[in-house]
Every structure is written in C-alpha cells, then in structure tokens.
Amino acid sequence: MILKQGQVINNRWNVVYQIKENPYAESYRVEDESGNPYFMKIYRLKNVPDKLINDGKINEIEWSRTIQHKNIISSIETGIYDDEAGECHYMVATYFSGELLSEMLQREGKLDAATATKIFLEMLQGLMYLHNKGPAILHNDINPTNVMLSSKTGGVAELIDMGHISHGFMGKVPFDTSDLDPRYASGQSVLGKYDERNDIFAATGVFYTMLTGRAPWDVEFTPEMTRKEKIKLVQKARNDQGEINVDDIEDEKLRAVISHGLALAYNERYECVERIISDLIEGDDSEMAQEIRSKIDLSTDSDDDDDAHDGINPFERQDDSESRGPRSQAAAETSADVEIKRGGGNGFADIAGMDDLKELLRQRVIMILQDRELAEKYKLTPPNGMLLYGPPGCGKSFFAEKFAEETGFNFILVKASDLGSIYIHGSQGKIADLFKKAEENAPTVLCFDEFDAFVPSRSGDVGPNQAGEVNEFLSQLNNCSKRGIFVIATSNRPDKVDPAVLRTGRIDKQVYVPMPDKTARRLMFELYLKDRPCGELNSEELAEKSDGYVASDIAYVVNEAATIAAFNRSDITQDLLVRTIEGIKPSINSDLIKEYEQMRQQMEGIIRSNALPRVGFK
C-alpha cells in the first residue's frame, strides 16, 4: 500500500481506508479537517504505463483539472506526494456519496419510464458538457456501475470513474481496456474507434437497461470470462439478433430514441448529444424538460457550479449578455462555432509520399485556384471540391490541412458535432452560417471530416430533419468555388454518402487514398524521426517491418519509442524502434483492407468521368 490508515496528506487529507488497488494506482476514502468524506486516487509514477502519461503527468489527473459539472464527479485538488518508493501523483474528488445505478437496478429490477428518463437526461447533460469542450472530451466507459445517484444533490445522476477519458481517436487505445464492459460499447470501439457516438451508444445502452432490467442484447457474463470472451459473446448476440429489441418498451418515443442510439450501423446513430436530448424532451411538459428548455433558451440558470470553473455551462453561449432572450439564443444556436486557421505552415513538405497526388493536385486544382487570371484566360472552371476516401489512419484530414497550407488558403476543419443543434432545422442554419463564414474569410479550404455523417444517403432510413440537412448541403455546395471556397470531404465510408453530392459542380473530384507502400513508410519514418535524438537508423528496415501499418500507426510507433528513449535519457535506436514495431499491431487488419479495396472498386464503378484516377501510395 502507498498510504496507511490515519496518514495525513498535504496537511489536509486524513486517510480512512483503501478502496481498491492495481499495479500502479490505489484509491482511498479520505476526510478533510471537518470529517467530510472525499475520494483520493494516487499513482506511483514509476509503475504507471507509458500510455497513461503525457510529459511526465498522469492523464487522468490532468483531465480532472478541466472538468467541473454537476453531472460529473468533480475534482477538488491535485498534487504530488513523495514516499520512500518514489514520486506519487494524486487527485482528490467528491466522494461517492449515494447509490450506484447498478445497485439500484439490482434492487429494483427495472425503473419506471419517468425515473429512467430523468437519470438519462442528467447523464446526457454531463456528456454534453464533456463533448462541447474544445476539442471534445470522451468518457469512454459509461455503464451502470459508473453512474452514481448522489445523495448530496437528492439523487441527481453523476458520471464517475474518469480513468478512460480522452479525445477522439482511431487506432491504438491510449488507456487500459481490460475493465471496459463491451455490452455498453459500440462495435467500432472494439476496433479502436472512440468518438462522441460511442459515448452516446453506451449511455443509450444504460437507458435501455434501466427500462428493461437487462443488458443490451440480453448478454450476461460469468465471473471467469476474459475480456476477449466477453467481446465475442456480445458480437455473436448482435450478429444473431440484429438491431436491439425494443418491443417491451411501451412508450413509442423512447423506443425510437433507443433504436436510434443503439443502431448497429455507425452512421445511423446519433452524432451528437444535443440531438438525442431534443428527441427526448420533444412534447414533454415535465418540470425537468421545461428546466432544460429554460437553460437552452434563456441562459440565465445560475444554480450550476460551472461559474467556479471558467464559467462554462453546456447549455449557455458565452458570447452574449445574461439578459439575452429566446430569439437571440436560438439565433446563437444556428451559428457554426468553428476555428479558422489562417495561412502559414509547410504545406506538402510535411507529407511523406503521395507524390502522384501532390503533383496531380498542383496541375489540376492548385494552379487554377491560385492563378485566377490564367484560369480566366483559358476559361477554366475552378473546381468545387474533392472527396478523399479510403481506410482510416492514412492521413486524409492531415492532407486536407496541408493542402490549405500549400495553396495559402485559410482552413476550417468541421466535425459532425460542430453542426449539431437542439433546434428543429437548427443544423441547417449552422450549415448555411458555416459556408457564409468560409466565404467571408475566402479563400478558404472547408474540410468536412467523416463526410458520410453530414450527408448520408437519403435512400436509406433518414429522418426529415436529416434529409433537410442534406438538401442544405446540396444547395451550399453548388458552385461554391465562385465564392472562394474549396471543399475537401474525407470519409472512410464513401458508399454511405448521398450520390447527389458527388456530381459535377459539387464534389468534383474523388480520390482513393490507400495504405502507404514501403517507400511511403520509409519517408514517414524519416519525417517523424527528423530533429529527434537518434542513433544510426535504417529506415529501409523499419519500412520493411511495418508492412500493413498506416500513417497514424507509424506516428504512434515513433512517439512510443521516443517516450521510452526520453525516460531513459538515451538516443532513439534502431533496436528500440524495431522492438516497438513488434509490440504494436497495425490498427487495420487484412480483412478490413480487402473490404476497402472492394469499396474502391464499387466507387470507381459509380463515379463518373470527372473523377481523378487512383493516386497516392502504390
């Protein structure tokens, strides 16, 4: 044990007893000078896995400094404690004073619809606070054991256990996954994709459990099961049953919300918390629904504790006065809050490989965009936009940013959550406002990440609001080049994009970005290792041993090796890099690669003659 009963930390925290421990961290119940209970988690730094540390600091502790909300366990203090065994970092948080949702469900079996909806909305308000931090913060481990009904606030739900929080990512998981419950995780997270939709999926799974008294897809685990066995059981249940069974949920609106939130197809799920909250409170005149609407419309609520920490309230806009009324608040909610990156950077020089694509774009696109007089002389029509599609982790979004630098244009990166709105047609207003901002800051490269989430095919099962958003995109995309806007859309699933978007005059060019070949991997290692303390390196060997790795994998390998070298105060060696490669599996398996090659053939079969040829890595 790191601490002993009765020990006092920082002249304030009296250790009462240990709650649990693992090889690198321990948690305790502690009390302050007045005997009030708190929760302390303490890490022995030398034992903490590298992936849980950044710049010598514990990720969870650093995250906790920025998170304060009534529906999330709150951090009180962080600090460093030295004992004979070395440096320890700790955080103190509000104590688990209340009942876990899992305990309530064990006692009650299931909850009535009103109680379950209240708890669900409180969970979602906490999630919206996290997701609206810029960039979005993800919880990544929502399940009934990580929801506490706090006795201090009369049973208000709080999300607890923040040991897995992160920004969104695809690939190598930056936290321990051994204790995650796969029943409340999307299939994409099992493959290494964590984003806002995975949190919403998990929270909706908890809502389903509250209403039915059972885990999603009726899956139950035995104590001796390994995580791998649990995942296989969950996957089998979902494959056998298909979509979640909501037949025994009486309320039609709640059935629709759960079906949407737990949809197996990624693009059929809620893309942001605001949408699911909007669906839940639609037509609801309960006190809680009215309170949420009041917070959204008036921004006058002062009961939240958020004023003590940067004044951030997930329901409040921070750019207007407290006296703002409903009309101006609705207008604010139709404004696209995005960051504009203005010029600068090294452009294509920062991209390893992809020489064919760079040269082709210089000839076919950049020349026309940069030299309008030449384009007018030869009556060349400036291109409207380009779709970059292919496997995840191959650098599509990064390429879009470097394209903007190469052209000297301003750059705006847009995620689906940036355009979410709780208002009917609110997202359409945000789309229009986004293109207006791009035009006002022209010339602008407007990059839509995961474009299939913005413009899903209307031939599928999309609601009228989403269809309206697709129509708004079609309208804004028409000849936007004349307004100084060049659109780059990136997608891992271009087959899900509405075909009308890909016609001439909207997204003119379609480019498949495949896996990097050996030459590209060699150049990536050389680029990522540049200006780092290195011994003699053989990038050719590194490229040979990293067959099947995408750009994000190689960047992770280099950073992992550099972290180890930094810890040992030594150079990055060939042997260290090889061992790191051998210890890290590629994030994309062979079956997925085959799937993308088939997708490429399908896309090339439907894309018309305006499509660019396949370029990039050969």
Side-chain angles (χ1 to χ4, degrees), residues 144-380:
T145 64
N146 285 339
V147 179
M148 180 180 69
L149 307 174
S150 175
S151 61
K152 290 185 177 180
T153 52
V156 170
E158 293 180 25
L159 300 177
I160 64 173
D161 193 347
M162 310 300 287
H164 301 83
I165 57 177
S166 71
H167 293 310
F169 64 90
M170 174 70 189
K172 184 72 173 179
V173 179
F175 46 74
D176 182 23
T177 61
S178 61
D179 59 341
L180 296 181
D181 190 335
R183 294 175 296 187
Y184 298 93
S186 68
Q188 287 74 25
S189 70
V190 176
L191 297 174
K193 182 177 178 62
Y194 286 79
D195 61 6
E196 293 93 328
R197 296 188 193 210
N198 184 59
D199 272 354
I200 296 170
F201 182 97
T204 308
V206 173
F207 187 38
Y208 177 86
T209 299
M210 287 191 282
L211 291 172
T212 64
R214 59 179 183 269
W217 285 272
D218 299 334
V219 175
E220 294 296 334
F221 300 146
T222 58
E224 65 275 6
M225 277 186 176
T226 65
R227 172 169 165 76
K228 187 175 181 179
E229 290 171 337
K230 292 176 181 179
I231 291 174
K232 292 181 78 172
L233 183 63
V234 170
Q235 289 175 330
K236 184 178 186 306
R238 292 175 182 175
N239 290 336
D240 291 347
Q241 179 181 318
E243 299 297 339
I244 192 74
N245 183 1
V246 295
D247 291 345
D248 56 348
I249 297 175
E250 295 181 3
D251 190 290
E252 182 178 355
K253 179 175 70 175
L254 300 187
R255 288 201 303 269
V257 166
I258 289 173
S259 296
H260 197 174
L262 289 178
L264 293 177
Y266 177 83
N267 291 325
E268 294 177 8
R269 256 179 256 141
Y270 287 106
E271 73 275 16
C272 63
V273 178
E274 289 86 345
R275 281 187 170 278
I276 192 169
I277 289 179
S278 177
D279 284 355
L280 276 171
I281 67 175
E282 183 180 3
D284 185 353
D285 294 326
S286 69
E287 183 178 342
M288 183 175 191
Q290 292 179 31
E291 179 186 359
I292 291 175
R293 291 192 187 95
S294 173
K295 289 180 180 180
I296 295 171
D297 291 342
L298 302 178
S299 300
T300 57
D301 181 81
S302 59
D303 295 332
D304 230 323
D305 293 331
D306 293 323
D307 291 342
H309 28 271
D310 301 329
I312 298 174
N313 186 317
F315 291 108
E316 295 182 1
R317 307 290 297 183
Q318 301 301 318
D319 56 358
D320 209 343
S321 66
E322 292 183 354
S323 61
R324 183 177 61 245
R327 181 179 298 275
S328 59
Q329 174 63 21
E333 284 294 336
T334 59
S335 175
D337 187 14
V338 291
E339 179 182 354
I340 302 173
K341 181 181 177 183
R342 301 185 183 278
N346 299 320
F348 285 167
D350 286 340
I351 300 176
M354 304 184 76
D355 292 333
D356 289 348
L357 176 56
K358 296 175 191 175
E359 188 57 30
L360 191 58
L361 291 177
R362 287 191 181 103
Q363 295 178 12
R364 301 279 188 88
V365 178
I366 295 176
M367 177 192 71
I368 301 174
L369 292 175
Q370 289 183 329
D371 195 337
R372 288 301 180 96
E373 291 184 5
L374 183 66
E376 289 176 5
K377 179 179 180 180
Y378 286 88
K379 300 188 182 300
L380 300 175

Side-chain angles (χ1 to χ4, degrees), residues 552-566:
S552 58
D553 294 334
I554 294 173
Y556 185 85
V557 165
V558 171
N559 285 329
E560 189 81 354
T563 302
I564 296 171

